[in-house]
Amino acid sequence: MRKILLISLLLFSSTAFAQTWGTHGTTWYTGILESFFSANQGYIQTIIIGDTTLLTQQCKILQSNHYNSSRQLILVDSAFLYKSNNKIFCYLTNTFYTLYDFNASVGDTWQTIVPYPSPFSSSGNPPDSIVTIVVDSTSNTSINGQIKKVLYVHSAYNDWFFLNPIIEDIGSAGGLYPYIYGWMDIDIPFLRCYTDSSIFYQRNIDLPCDTFINDISENEITRMVVYPNPSHDQLKISFLNKHFQFQITILDSQGKECLQRKINNDSDIDLSSFSRGIYIMKIENINTSEYWFKKLIFQ
């Protein structure tokens, strides 16, 4: 009797653990850089709101609400996902495709599909629908005491790709789907937070989950100008008001701090060691504790 009871408990525990993904209320917050010409950033809030059956498969209904930096709701999307055998599948064009494969080892591949139009873009990227994902490396990480597998990947054959890393159950650093991170794109997504019934994950404490970010206005009391932007090897910061001290922090697209400096006079910042891409500059007025964000583009 004890052996039967023990086996039953183990089976129940295993099943319960396997079903922890996709609980109702699971939420992703994905920040959206809304314009090539400014750092205005709203966010997409994606929530699992229920269950449905598609192609005889029970799956989760994900609803996405897009709020722009003026606090206006501008987009509503739905998606349908399910998890099985440590893979997450997404529904599109009357078919389920592998979105993530957390059984994958180095060198393994899977094919996924890009929603078109992308739920994270209004710019009309070309519908390169099928994307081949190649696993470059794997590791593990602990989030709130739970061990999650981590994948670093690249895409073959086209420009759609996941922003690394991809964390088990949570998704990629760029949100749920692949994206084209070209320097002229707008509505560029970066994952901020993920929360479910047992864990809370936040990529960057400087970008809170549901915060709206607005670009620096040169008419503010700080009277600061940052140029040229886009830049190649040097960034210039000029102050019209010299009575304040500022702390400058530059973050890469994954929220990693690349540079931090205190300044109170016109300054030049050497960017020659930076890789080409999109960065965020946080500018904090040390005297008033006010801060702003500005998008930087290094070519």
Side-chain angles (χ1 to χ4, degrees), residues 28-32 42-46 120 174-175 189-193:
W28 292 259
Y29 288 91
T30 307
I32 301 295
Y43 64 90
I44 288 180
Q45 182 190 51
T46 301
F120 302 129
F190 300 102
L191 179 68
R192 289 181 180 177
C193 305

Side-chain angles (χ1 to χ4, degrees), residues 79-288:
F80 306 93
L81 278 67
Y82 76 92
K83 183 178 180 180
S84 178
N85 297 323
N86 219 26
K87 297 180 181 180
I88 293 179
F89 299 85
C90 62
Y91 175 83
L92 199 68
T93 62
N94 205 36
T95 305
F96 279 102
Y97 295 85
T98 301
L99 182 61
Y100 310 117
D101 182 359
F102 293 106
N103 297 314
S105 301
V106 174
D108 289 347
T109 65
W110 75 85
Q111 288 190 322
T112 192
I113 194 167
V114 176
Y116 182 77
S118 167
F120 302 129
S121 176
S122 60
S123 56
N125 283 325
D128 298 328
S129 56
I130 302 298
V131 182
T132 299
I133 306 299
V134 184
V135 179
D136 297 318
S137 66
T138 68
S139 61
N140 292 296
T141 188
S142 177
I143 301 175
N144 298 152
Q146 295 188 25
I147 302 301
K148 299 290 186 181
K149 188 170 182 178
V150 179
L151 303 176
Y152 286 83
V153 303
H154 73 272
S155 297
Y157 314 125
N158 62 24
D159 294 330
W160 294 91
F161 66 93
F162 285 116
L163 198 64
N164 286 313
I166 301 174
I167 301 176
E168 183 179 357
D169 296 340
I170 294 174
S172 81
L176 289 172
Y177 299 101
Y179 193 84
I180 295 179
Y181 287 82
W183 68 281
M184 280 298 291
D185 280 340
I186 62 173
D187 294 342
I188 299 174
F190 300 102
L191 179 68
R192 289 181 180 177
C193 305
Y194 167 90
T195 182
D196 61 25
S197 58
S198 60
I199 69 170
F200 174 76
Y201 172 76
Q202 186 173 8
R203 283 193 55 80
N204 180 3
I205 61 174
D206 287 323
L207 297 177
C209 302
D210 57 354
T211 295
F212 297 95
I213 297 172
N214 292 292
D215 197 7
I216 285 180
S217 168
E218 292 177 11
N219 293 320
E220 297 289 341
I221 191 171
T222 55
R223 301 293 290 173
M224 173 189 291
V225 181
V226 179
Y227 67 98
N229 190 21
S231 180
H232 293 284
D233 55 4
Q234 195 170 68
L235 192 68
K236 296 182 180 294
I237 301 176
S238 178
F239 296 95
L240 301 182
N241 189 329
K242 311 291 185 182
H243 300 293
F244 296 100
Q245 185 177 30
F246 297 88
Q247 178 167 281
I248 306 297
T249 305
I250 297 180
L251 309 169
D252 68 12
S253 60
Q254 298 186 34
K256 180 181 178 182
E257 183 179 302
C258 302
L259 179 147
Q260 187 175 90
R261 182 180 301 173
K262 291 182 179 179
I263 56 177
N264 58 7
N265 290 301
D266 295 354
S267 301
D268 294 340
I269 298 178
D270 182 13
L271 306 178
S272 59
S273 63
F274 283 60
S275 300
R276 175 183 173 183
I278 295 173
Y279 295 77
I280 294 292
M281 174 184 281
K282 179 182 178 182
I283 304 168
E284 182 178 3
N285 187 326
I286 296 175
N287 302 82
T288 66

Side-chain angles (χ1 to χ4, degrees), residues 61-81:
I61 305 171
L62 283 71
Q63 179 174 289
S64 295
N65 295 325
H66 183 178
Y67 301 88
N68 68 7
S69 60
S70 62
R71 294 166 172 77
Q72 297 292 318
L73 176 65
I74 62 173
L75 182 71
V76 176
D77 281 311
S78 295
F80 306 93
L81 278 67

